[in-house]
Amino acid sequence: GCGNVGDSTYFGSRGLSVPAVDASAEAIRFCVERQQVAPTVRFRHSTIEAAPEMVHQFLEAGPRPGLVYARFVLHAITEDQEQAFYRMLSRNLPAGTYVALEYRTKDDALSPKVYGETHYRRFVDHEAVCQTMSNMGFATVHEVEGTGLAVHRHEDPVVGRYLGVRVEA
């Protein structure tokens, strides 16, 4: 979910090769139009279910260790898509690959939102994410849940952050 191009451009401007994927064709068009700084970023329109081969190819050809970075993706997809995302990680990531996740948690459900109630979001159980990643063979490097982590305008949502490394494939 490359969203508004900011994170992809940040990583690309530091010389990293970035395959940026989003299920929204409109988001990809927006990113391609705005992205000027980082020629190492490649945008691709794809659903999570169709992304595993691209991720696998990137990780095979890319530098080690690899990183899957999904900021504000889990809460923007359905539970079925979240499970497909976990399957993709489980089936395609070699040992030594890092996964960084950031998402709105269930404790954020009742707080006011900048984008209002019409903006789709699901609230994710932080402990369940950590347990799922552990069950898939990831060692937790860092995890935290709270406020002050993703302040936007007047909104300070409750988010979870997870950073893990694949120890068994």
Side-chain angles (χ1 to χ4, degrees):
C2 51
N4 70 2
V5 81
D7 293 332
S8 302
T9 299
Y10 173 84
F11 289 125
S13 71
R14 277 139 184 84
L16 299 173
S17 178
V18 180
V21 180
D22 203 295
S24 167
E26 183 179 326
I28 293 297
R29 277 192 302 278
F30 175 82
C31 289
V32 168
E33 289 169 6
R34 284 195 59 196
Q35 194 274 15
Q36 300 170 6
V37 179
T40 60
V41 179
R42 293 179 319 278
F43 294 100
R44 181 168 171 186
H45 175 235
S46 178
T47 64
I48 287 171
E49 295 85 355
E53 184 165 327
M54 183 197 65
V55 170
H56 182 73
Q57 289 172 354
F58 170 75
L59 290 170
E60 284 295 312
R64 294 284 186 255
L67 167 69
V68 173
Y69 178 82
R71 180 175 177 262
F72 281 16
V73 172
L74 293 184
H75 71 253
I77 59 178
T78 67
E79 286 185 47
D80 288 344
Q81 290 170 320
E82 181 181 2
Q83 294 309 310
F85 177 72
Y86 291 140
R87 284 190 302 276
M88 189 242 339
L89 297 178
S90 178
R91 294 176 182 164
N92 291 284
L93 301 188
T97 305
Y98 286 83
V99 172
L101 308 171
E102 183 176 83
Y103 43 87
R104 290 179 183 260
T105 69
K106 291 184 178 218
D107 288 341
D108 187 55
L110 299 178
S111 65
K113 311 292 185 268
V114 167
Y115 293 107
E117 299 308 316
T118 58
H119 184 78
Y120 177 80
R121 65 179 63 83
R122 212 170 38 83
F123 301 97
V124 180
D125 183 324
H126 177 66
E127 290 180 18
V129 170
C130 294
Q131 186 61 55
T132 297
M133 297 302 289
S134 176
N135 292 346
M136 291 188 322
F138 286 84
T140 300
V141 174
H142 177 76
E143 63 84 12
V144 62
E145 179 181 14
T147 57
L149 302 171
V151 177
H152 178 67
R153 297 185 191 161
H154 65 272
E155 185 179 357
D156 187 6
V158 181
V159 300
R161 286 184 176 167
Y162 172 87
L163 175 63
V165 61
R166 183 77 183 259
V167 291
E168 45 185 86

